[in-house]
Amino acid sequence: MLAAHPPPKEQDVYGSEDQEFLALERELSVFLRRARASSGEMARALHPELEPAAYGLLVRLEAAGRQRATELAAYFGVGKATMSRQLRALEVLGLIAREPDPADGRAFLVGLTEEGRERFLWVRDARREQYMRKLADWDRGEVAELARLLNQLNAGEDTP
């Protein structure tokens, strides 16, 4: 009978110089899983039929204003068909509206409706309260540093 061998330790396989990146991968995996669950809750609070991914679209539209669907698709790194489907769902729910782009009559700009903005702001404020409770023991400088680092990580996604 062959004796079972334990799997190799991470440092044996990857080398000690990669430990920071392995730790980052583990922590981001947990963070992203929790963030997806939280986005689902926020989307349902905004409208019971809203997809979790749509909450991020509303965040972007509120922050950046009206945009073309192609700009949104590029920003999120999704295809035009996926973006069209998500925007159509938001439009049916009355949360966004399309209007002709004054710079190009063939294109449309997508923006929040008044109802969409009101619902979004209510949910965003509730989410901010959750963050404030969860991070109540953190120094404001640490919160700012986390936001800065996440912004830096997200900005890196825009480069090839």
Side-chain angles (χ1 to χ4, degrees):
M1 181 179 274
L2 293 174
H5 295 285
K9 295 179 182 175
E10 287 179 346
Q11 64 264 25
D12 295 339
V13 175
Y14 299 105
S16 62
E17 68 275 0
D18 291 333
Q19 292 306 302
E20 296 85 358
F21 292 99
L22 290 169
L24 175 64
E25 192 277 331
R26 280 190 306 269
E27 295 305 319
L28 280 176
S29 294
V30 171
F31 176 79
L32 292 172
R33 185 175 183 96
R34 289 179 178 168
R36 276 191 290 275
S38 178
S39 286
E41 290 172 16
M42 295 299 151
R44 284 187 299 279
L46 210 136
H47 194 285
E49 297 174 33
L50 194 61
E51 292 181 23
Y55 182 79
L57 276 170
L58 299 176
V59 169
R60 178 67 180 166
L61 288 171
E62 201 282 325
R66 298 177 309 155
Q67 294 189 319
R68 290 183 181 186
T70 53
E71 293 171 315
L72 290 166
Y75 179 80
F76 287 106
V78 300
K80 291 178 195 176
T82 298
M83 184 55 56
S84 291
R85 180 182 54 76
Q86 290 176 347
L87 291 173
R88 197 170 24 258
L90 288 169
E91 192 172 22
V92 167
L93 297 174
L95 301 174
I96 65 163
R98 299 173 196 246
E99 59 185 63
D101 184 344
D104 181 355
R106 299 167 296 164
F108 288 88
L109 295 175
V110 179
L112 293 172
T113 62
E114 192 56 40
E115 178 184 357
R117 178 170 275 101
E118 287 174 12
R119 286 180 180 228
F120 168 76
L121 292 175
W122 180 82
V123 171
R124 185 194 63 187
D125 289 347
R127 187 174 217 179
R128 186 179 62 238
E129 290 292 326
Q130 286 180 339
Y131 288 142
M132 290 174 76
R133 279 192 303 277
K134 185 173 183 107
L135 303 176
D137 294 338
W138 286 38
D139 178 87
R140 288 285 177 132
E142 291 173 323
V143 175
E145 179 66 2
L146 177 59
R148 186 191 70 75
L149 291 170
L150 288 172
N151 178 268
Q152 185 177 334
L153 180 64
N154 287 331
E157 289 295 318
D158 296 337
T159 58

